[in-house]
Amino acid sequence: MTAPLLEISGLSIALGGKPILNYVDFTMQPGEIRAIIGPNGAGKSTCVRCLAGVVAGWTGGIKLDGRAHADLSRRELARLVCYLPQIGGTLPAFSVWDYVSMGRYVHLGLWDGLGARDAEAIDRALHDVGIGNLRDRRLTTLSGGERQMAAIAAGLAQEARLLVLDEPATFLDPLRQDMLLQLVGKINQERGVSVLMVTHDVNAAMLHTHRTLALHDGRVVYDGPSAELRGEETLRRIYDMDFAFAPVPGGHTLAVSKRMAGVGVEDRP
């Protein structure tokens, strides 16, 4: 059996005296796409920030490719994990190509410049994400969707084995959300990159990921195949609300809250 790419055991952390994660356990196999879902404040983003080395002070165990998190240097961690936080903040006035090139620095020595191998990796990342035509544009001129694609291209240029996306579809319209999810699947299939994605979209988890971890009050309340989220009791346990399920073309099922399902436009004030 293939050894896990990621092993998390007993992960716990308190911030400002408040427990955020309580003995979280899960594993990821190489080539897996996994979602983390749950209500606001469940600890989803904190979990991936611990993994990425952004948050310190946690207890428990994190192993990557069989090695303890604490034994990895920052450079070694960056070669294994690429963490892309939520979109926001002030953007540097870099060109898209220069921004994506930053993903290569984990592969360079202190005084090394970018070489032909690095330029090839950057150009391939831009091509795979579909933004080669934006290579000379400034980040500050891009739409939210284009910025997110540029960030993913930078992650691909980094050539890490695990891509960690924290709510990547935030601020994107439905078309761009769908394009992003299709891109995640393409990256996984064509490059073999594993993907760990925090999302609020239950349907995205069900339709576009292999397995899902659900957190509630910092604890694991579900860990299993994403397709098996199609159960009223499962989603009620995660979100403290009732869901209805509707079949759609392709043999899939979508979940919608019963509150929304029972309210038509004509019923709204």
Side-chain angles (χ1 to χ4, degrees):
M1 184 175 178
T2 305
L5 174 61
L6 171 65
E7 300 173 83
I8 290 184
S9 57
L11 181 63
S12 302
I13 189 171
L15 299 174
K18 178 184 177 182
I20 304 298
L21 296 174
N22 295 282
Y23 300 100
V24 171
D25 298 303
F26 71 95
T27 63
M28 280 188 68
Q29 299 299 321
E32 186 174 274
I33 305 176
R34 177 184 275 272
I36 301 181
I37 65 172
N40 290 339
K44 304 182 297 297
S45 291
T46 300
C47 182
V48 296
R49 285 163 64 86
C50 291
L51 164 62
V54 177
V55 172
W58 48 267
T59 59
I62 299 178
K63 286 186 177 181
L64 286 154
D65 201 23
R67 298 183 61 189
H69 194 283
D71 294 339
L72 296 167
S73 68
R74 297 297 301 182
R75 183 178 292 266
E76 289 171 327
L77 180 62
R79 289 179 175 177
L80 286 168
V81 179
C82 175
Y83 167 64
L84 299 181
Q86 299 173 29
I87 295 176
T90 303
L91 294 171
F94 293 160
S95 71
V96 170
W97 198 93
D98 287 339
Y99 174 66
V100 174
S101 75
M102 295 172 66
R104 296 302 303 165
Y105 287 101
V106 299
H107 299 282
L108 302 178
L110 183 60
W111 305 111
D112 293 340
L114 295 171
R117 170 71 180 84
D118 303 300
E120 179 184 341
I122 296 163
D123 289 337
R124 181 189 175 199
L126 290 168
H127 174 269
D128 286 356
V129 176
I131 59 169
N133 60 315
L134 302 178
R135 58 180 289 138
D136 297 321
R137 288 269 301 275
R138 298 289 173 182
L139 291 176
T140 50
T141 70
L142 302 184
S143 68
E146 289 169 339
R147 293 177 187 178
Q148 190 63 281
M149 295 303 182
I152 292 175
L156 292 184
Q158 189 172 320
E159 295 184 326
R161 294 183 60 191
L162 175 61
L163 183 63
V164 179
L165 305 174
D166 192 356
E167 298 187 32
T170 302
F171 307 125
L172 301 187
D173 61 54
L175 175 60
R176 270 68 184 182
Q177 289 180 25
D178 184 68
M179 290 172 62
L180 184 141
L181 291 168
Q182 295 297 330
L183 174 61
V184 167
K186 175 185 174 183
I187 291 168
N188 174 256
Q189 292 178 13
E190 295 184 0
R191 286 188 174 231
V193 175
S194 302
V195 182
L196 179 60
M197 177 173 63
V198 174
T199 180
H200 280 291
D201 190 337
V202 174
N203 290 310
M206 288 196 302
L207 297 176
H208 295 278
T209 71
H210 301 123
R211 296 181 66 83
T212 293
L213 178 82
L215 299 177
H216 190 290
D217 290 332
R219 298 183 183 276
V220 176
V221 293
Y222 178 81
D223 181 10
S226 298
E228 294 181 13
L229 285 170
R230 299 184 184 96
E232 291 189 44
E233 184 56 38
T234 300
L235 291 181
R236 185 185 300 116
R237 190 167 69 249
I238 297 168
Y239 291 103
D240 295 325
M241 63 185 298
D242 293 321
F243 285 79
F245 297 86
V248 294
H252 301 299
T253 303
L254 297 183
V256 61
S257 75
K258 284 189 175 180
R259 295 178 188 177
M260 292 299 296
V263 178
V265 174
E266 66 278 3
D267 301 320
R268 296 176 186 169

